[in-house]
Amino acid sequence: MQKSGGNSLFILHFAFCNLHFPMNLFQLVIKQMRQRALGTWLTLFSVMLGMALAVSIMIMRRESKSLFAQTDFGYDILLGPPKGSPLTLTLNTVYHMYTSPGVIPYSIYADMVRGNKPPLPGHPDYHQYVRQAIPFMVGDSYKARRIVGTSPQMFGVDDDGKPVKGTPWHYREDKAYELAAGRVFAPRKFEAVIGSDVADKLGLHVYDPKLSPQENEKSGGAFRATHGMPGPNEKPDIHKPIWNIVGILKPTHTANDRVLFIPFVSLYAIAEHESGMIDQALMKAGLDPTKIPADRIDDVLQTLGIDPQKVPQSVKAKFRMEHKSSAPGTQPASGDVNELMKDAVAPATAPAEEDGEDPDVYHLDEQGNIVPDLPEDEWSLSAILIQSRGTIGQQRLIYNFKVIDDRATAVIPADVMREFFDTFLAGATIMLLVISVLVIVVAAVGILVSIYNSVTARKHEIAILRALGATKNRILVLICIEAALIGLVGGILGLLAGHALAGIGSIFLNRLLGQGINWVAVDRLELLYLFGVVVLATLAGLVPALSAYRTPVATNLVAG
């Protein structure tokens, strides 16, 4: 103990003789911190934890505003189902989250893109308010990645494969889609353009025309769609058509990087989609499918404007199977079904069911283009992305679909996301920020207690410094520097840890939304917060410093 005390006295004497040199002053502070390393590290950790929490919250608040409350959409209106939630519509269309809230008639889109042709009788003249309109159809997926049916115009190409006249479609202000490889799909072919993330993560590439569709599917140059978005324990329902990948997009750093885009017309060439649209047509007409006699199905379809000769038998059979009211395994009474519907009530052993594939519900014309059997009047879309003709066009569209036309609802996505951020995210981040401030306050109290206990344990050493000529102010500065150094080092470590946490959050958001955040940039508010932490730590050290300031030299020398 005497040897230890002698070494300590030598160190203090050596440091005191050089107290007028700032570097030696810091060396003395660091030696004091090392003498009580455990307490110093625990205090540093508490400061780092509070700072990391605060910085990560600041980054997420800043970046989530640009991510979820963005206002730089390349379009200003989303058109969706009349009874759907504006927030659900926006999240589904922009961020490809959740399921579609419903469908709207394709005829609305046809009215908007009719060009200079006069509107059809009884149809509103929407074209005068619309500069560009892009169809949007969802419902299928490929390996948990969403498939979106749209038109080549989304990628700046018309139906003939030529660049569109005027300004191409922008997914954000002044940002249009660009191809990294291949070309844009044709409007009526089983072709696809995929996002950069899909190509990288799933190993997909542009198809090889020398190979068959099946060979391309095996090599990653083509794919088949899965109905809906099946869960981990659900058996996937894979559709029959094969889409060749003809183009890969450059990264957009949005959720679109995780999407496979196909011609929306090709979705109507799937039997299950066609039967679903017929089902919707019946419901819109107020007809209960379970109460329609089997021998009247053709008459009902014809009344709804659907040519029964163009509806394949497999679709009719499946339609009856889904809505039959008889008990499983029982045969209906004679006359309840006609010859056309016999397969619908037979046990599910038909070859089409065994293979998991339905017969084709489309044919190809002379140019090899898809011609769905379902008539165009029965087509539907999940949404329409609209760039209106200025403020007046925007206001007219919003008013028309709010007051006059009840077939759809029009929302402004920028307003919806701003309201979403202000309602759900802004308040939560402020609350978390308050919590992080409280953590810093607790850390400051920890600094106070730690240094106070250190000063109490070192009263004899401080008295020696005073006896050797150190002024009260020098002792005060020495202890305050120690507290400030703990706050500074802990704050810097917390700043780095906070950005690391934000980086992990960016990875999570990228997997969830296909879009990360800028977690590297350091904001001015973070530096201001770091300065506040150092000031708070210094103030916390002021209390034990004042205690040391008042330490009686003679008393503590005798006590030592």
Side-chain angles (χ1 to χ4, degrees):
M1 290 297 292
Q2 290 180 353
K3 185 177 180 180
S4 175
N7 289 338
S8 177
L9 183 59
F10 173 78
I11 292 172
L12 289 173
H13 178 69
F14 174 81
F16 167 69
C17 291
N18 297 277
L19 279 178
H20 58 283
F21 294 104
M23 183 59 67
N24 291 325
L25 189 64
F26 277 104
Q27 288 178 354
L28 179 58
V29 169
I30 292 173
K31 288 175 181 177
Q32 289 174 345
M33 294 170 63
R34 289 175 60 185
Q35 286 179 358
R36 48 187 184 84
L38 180 60
T40 299
W41 280 112
L42 289 176
T43 307
L44 275 173
F45 180 76
S46 62
V47 175
M48 184 188 73
L49 184 62
M51 185 70 186
L53 179 60
V55 168
S56 60
I57 291 172
M58 289 179 195
I59 296 173
M60 295 303 294
R61 176 179 170 81
R62 179 189 71 213
E63 295 300 323
S64 62
K65 188 171 184 179
S66 63
L67 181 66
F68 289 107
Q70 66 181 73
T71 58
D72 60 340
F73 293 101
Y75 44 93
D76 54 348
I77 289 180
L78 287 179
L79 210 63
K83 295 183 179 180
S85 162
L87 178 59
T88 303
L89 171 64
T90 304
L91 292 177
N92 179 258
T93 307
V94 178
Y95 300 98
H96 305 289
M97 300 172 64
Y98 309 117
T99 57
S100 172
V103 294
I104 57 177
Y106 170 81
S107 58
I108 299 176
Y109 169 73
D111 291 334
M112 292 181 174
V113 297
R114 59 178 174 75
N116 296 323
K117 298 177 182 178
L120 297 173
H123 285 233
D125 187 13
Y126 286 133
H127 178 68
Q128 61 179 323
Y129 308 127
V130 176
R131 179 176 284 110
Q132 293 186 77
I134 300 295
F136 191 92
M137 187 68 177
V138 297
D140 290 332
S141 63
Y142 175 72
K143 293 186 177 180
R145 267 66 171 185
R146 177 159 289 173
I147 294 175
V148 173
T150 185
S151 69
Q153 280 78 11
M154 175 176 275
F155 309 105
V157 175
D158 61 20
D159 288 350
D160 296 325
K162 300 178 181 179
V164 295
K165 297 179 180 179
T167 305
W169 178 260
H170 287 161
Y171 60 91
R172 283 192 174 175
E173 289 182 2
D174 301 325
K175 290 185 179 180
Y177 292 101
E178 297 181 59
L179 288 172
R183 59 174 175 82
V184 178
F185 57 70
R188 287 178 175 263
K189 302 282 189 181
F190 286 111
E191 297 178 343
V193 171
I194 64 175
S196 58
D197 184 80
V198 176
D200 293 339
K201 299 294 176 59
L202 301 184
L204 301 181
H205 55 81
V206 175
Y207 87 111
D208 186 349
K210 297 179 182 180
L211 302 178
S212 67
Q214 290 76 15
E215 291 173 328
N216 270 300
E217 184 183 6
K218 291 180 180 179
S219 67
F223 63 89
R224 292 200 295 170
T226 299
H227 188 69
M229 192 75 72
N233 298 323
E234 296 182 33
K235 182 180 179 181
D237 181 8
I238 300 177
H239 296 311
K240 181 180 179 181
I242 298 176
W243 282 265
N244 288 324
I245 300 171
V246 298
I248 300 175
L249 295 172
K250 290 183 179 180
T252 64
H253 304 292
T254 68
N256 296 310
D257 292 339
R258 303 178 70 249
V259 174
L260 299 91
F261 298 95
I262 64 175
F264 70 93
V265 175
S266 65
L267 289 172
Y268 306 137
I270 300 175
E272 291 177 343
H273 294 174
E274 184 178 67
S275 62
M277 292 180 187
I278 293 174
D279 196 353
Q280 292 171 7
L282 292 172
M283 289 189 291
K284 287 180 180 178
L287 300 175
D288 185 352
T290 62
K291 296 182 180 179
I292 300 175
D295 56 357
R296 295 297 306 276
I297 289 179
D298 288 356
D299 296 336
V300 172
L301 292 175
Q302 194 165 9
T303 302
L304 295 174
I306 302 173
D307 186 355
Q309 301 301 321
K310 293 184 177 182
V311 179
Q313 178 177 344
S314 62
V315 174
K316 295 180 181 179
K318 187 171 183 179
F319 180 79
R320 291 300 300 175
M321 288 177 69
E322 290 178 349
H323 298 291
K324 65 182 181 179
S325 56
S326 57
T330 60
Q331 293 283 352
S334 178
D336 286 346
V337 293
N338 55 22
E339 294 296 318
L340 184 65
M341 304 304 298
K342 283 184 178 180
D343 290 338
V345 296
T349 56
E353 292 294 331
E354 289 179 352
D355 296 337
E357 297 179 349
D358 292 317
D360 296 335
V361 292
Y362 68 95
H363 62 277
L364 302 178
D365 62 13
E366 296 177 354
Q367 289 76 36
N369 293 322
I370 299 171
V371 180
D373 294 338
L374 188 70
E376 186 176 306
D377 291 344
E378 297 303 322
W379 292 1
S380 61
L381 298 170
S382 301
I384 303 174
L385 285 61
I386 300 172
Q387 186 185 76
S388 63
R389 298 182 185 272
T391 305
I392 296 178
Q394 181 191 73
Q395 292 175 349
R396 289 299 303 175
L397 286 171
I398 295 292
Y399 175 81
N400 279 11
F401 286 104
K402 185 176 182 180
V403 178
I404 301 174
D405 194 341
D406 61 355
R407 296 178 298 168
T409 184
V411 301
I412 301 175
D415 291 348
V416 172
M417 296 314 299
R418 190 182 299 110
E419 181 182 357
F420 167 71
F421 179 82
D422 292 340
T423 303
F424 296 100
L425 297 180
T429 53
I430 290 175
M431 182 180 67
L432 290 175
L433 198 59
V434 170
I435 293 174
S436 67
V437 171
L438 293 177
V439 173
I440 289 293
V441 171
V442 172
V445 173
I447 294 174
L448 188 153
V449 173
S450 176
I451 296 180
Y452 189 87
N453 291 334
S454 174
V455 169
T456 303
R458 291 183 296 162
K459 284 184 177 182
H460 180 65
E461 295 174 355
I462 293 173
I464 294 175
L465 282 174
R466 291 287 307 281
L468 292 174
T471 64
K472 290 184 177 181
N473 290 335
R474 186 60 61 89
I475 299 298
L476 187 72
V477 171
L478 188 67
I479 296 175
C480 286
I481 287 177
E482 182 179 351
L485 192 60
I486 292 176
L488 179 62
V489 175
I492 293 175
L493 292 176
L495 184 68
L496 297 175
H499 280 265
L501 287 174
I504 296 173
S506 180
I507 296 174
F508 173 76
L509 288 174
N510 192 49
R511 291 181 178 178
L512 179 65
L513 305 176
Q515 183 174 352
I517 60 175
N518 183 10
W519 58 273
V520 179
V522 179
D523 190 65
R524 183 183 302 175
L525 184 61
E526 299 172 40
L527 298 178
L528 184 62
Y529 195 89
L530 175 61
F531 176 76
V533 169
V534 176
V535 171
L536 187 61
T538 305
L539 293 176
L542 191 59
V543 174
L546 290 174
S547 175
Y549 182 88
R550 302 188 190 98
T551 300
V553 178
T555 302
N556 288 303
L557 282 174
V558 174

